[in-house]
Each structure stands twice: as C-alpha cells, then as structure tokens.
Amino acid sequence: MSEYSHAELLEGVRARNAAVLTFIYRSYFPMIQAYIVKNGGNDEDAKDVFQESLIIMYRYMKMNPPPVIKDFRQYLFGVCKNLWLKLLEKKRPVNPLPGEYNYEIEPPPDSAEVNASMKYSIIQKHFLTLDADSQKVLKLYMKNVSYQEIAKIMGYKDENYARRKKYLAQKELMEKVKSDPNYQDYFD
C-alpha cells in the first residue's frame, strides 16, 4: 500500500476515489476506533462515526472555494471527535435529581486539540472573507509554490509583485483574525 500526499488524500475524498478511501480507512480508522472505544463507544459506533466524518469531509471539499486543510489526519480526527461528542451528548441519561443537585461530571477536553480546532476555525472563517485573488495567492504560497511561479499563475509583472501581494493578503488575514472576538481566548 503506497503513501498518499496530503493533497492526494483531500482530492481522493473529493473525487470519492476508492483506492484513496480504502487507504484512509486502513490508515486512520484504527486511531478513531481506539479513541471511541476508550471514550465509551464500541466498534459499531466507531464505524458509524468514521463513515459520517468522511461524508462531512466530502461535502466540505465540494465547497467553492475548497477549504484550506493543512493536516488531513488532524482534521479527520477533529471531525470524528466532534461527531462522537455530539452522539455522547444525545445518549447522556437525564439526571432525575432536582436542579440544584443535578451535577454532571465531564472529563475536561484536551485543551491542545480544542485550541488547534478553534484556531483553525477562526482563521478559516476570515480566510473565506478575503477576495478571490488574495485567497488564491495564499493557497499557492501554502503549497510552497515559488513567487516566480505565483507571478506567472496570477499574471503579475514579476516575483516582487507576487511577494508584495502575498504579504498584503497575509497582513489582511492576520488583522481580521486579531480583530475576532475569540482571538484572545485561543491565540497567544
């Protein structure tokens, strides 16, 4: 079984490529299964959550423009985890004690995962508000495309202009992120 790149995994989900989906299932399902079983579920729950997560990712990848996902494994785990937590919340029994005695003990969420997920959500939300050219320049830059190549693709006069456009797009994005009401809660 060969290894797929991050971009190939995302494209494979978007295109519903059977070979890529089989690879994803073989490579990532055991991790998801272990998490769900460890957190009160069973193998059937794990299969349901994993399948639903792939459907969610497929729908997400069909968006126009497609979202920026930097780490396939981390994103898949986050989607699965969120789905599992929602299912657990639905299954939680109602406590028959009166309101003042109704205490629920929940394990604290892993703060690093929550922070990473929230940071991603905040950045993604503001990224989608940038104009199409700024989004495209930043996507190319994140794919490690050279400034010279960015200039050709975007029709800019030279690589210095491409560098400047990337800088301005990045600056605008960071200003929007920093002005987000949740910025202080999740960014250092």
Side-chain angles (χ1 to χ4, degrees):
M1 181 165 58
S2 65
E3 184 76 27
Y4 289 95
S5 72
H6 171 74
E8 290 170 326
L9 290 173
L10 293 173
E11 179 56 27
V13 170
R14 191 193 67 70
R16 295 186 289 183
N17 180 309
V20 173
L21 292 173
T22 300
F23 174 82
I24 291 169
Y25 189 86
R26 287 183 182 154
S27 300
Y28 300 108
F29 178 73
M31 169 186 68
I32 302 304
Q33 183 180 30
Y35 172 79
I36 290 175
V37 169
K38 179 181 164 193
N39 289 285
N42 58 37
D43 291 345
E44 204 59 41
D45 292 328
K47 288 177 187 174
D48 292 343
V49 167
F50 194 80
Q51 185 66 34
E52 185 64 28
S53 295
L54 288 176
I55 292 169
I56 288 170
M57 288 184 75
Y58 166 75
R59 289 181 184 150
Y60 202 52
M61 294 309 300
K62 290 299 239 182
M63 290 171 53
N64 194 7
V68 176
I69 298 172
K70 289 189 174 187
D71 183 346
F72 181 87
R73 181 181 162 274
Q74 185 178 29
Y75 182 76
L76 176 64
F77 182 79
V79 172
C80 289
K81 182 178 178 182
N82 287 336
L83 278 175
W84 179 240
L85 292 175
K86 284 180 185 178
L87 284 173
L88 279 180
E89 193 170 292
K90 288 179 184 177
K91 290 181 179 183
R92 184 178 299 158
V94 177
N95 193 335
L97 297 174
E100 65 186 61
Y101 299 106
N102 190 0
Y103 298 104
E104 294 179 7
I105 299 172
E106 293 183 17
D110 181 89
S111 62
E113 289 178 28
V114 170
N115 277 350
S117 177
M118 288 306 295
K119 283 180 182 179
Y120 174 79
S121 295
I122 291 168
I123 292 169
Q124 182 66 21
K125 174 176 76 172
H126 293 293
F127 178 82
L128 294 174
T129 66
L130 297 175
D131 63 80
D133 279 355
S134 295
Q135 286 183 25
K136 188 170 183 179
V137 167
L138 288 177
K139 284 180 185 177
L140 291 168
Y141 176 75
M142 288 187 296
K143 291 179 181 177
N144 294 321
V145 176
S146 71
Y147 287 112
Q148 186 176 13
E149 194 63 30
I150 291 173
K152 283 183 191 174
I153 292 169
M154 297 299 294
Y156 298 153
K157 59 184 177 181
D158 59 25
E159 65 184 84
N160 288 330
Y161 190 75
R163 185 175 279 116
R164 177 81 177 144
K165 290 296 277 186
K166 189 277 301 181
Y167 168 78
L168 292 173
Q170 197 171 30
K171 182 179 175 187
E172 180 184 356
L173 176 60
M174 289 315 300
E175 286 172 358
K176 289 180 177 198
V177 168
K178 287 179 180 177
S179 70
D180 190 281
N182 295 317
Y183 177 81
Q184 292 298 325
D185 296 334
Y186 300 103
F187 292 86
D188 298 327

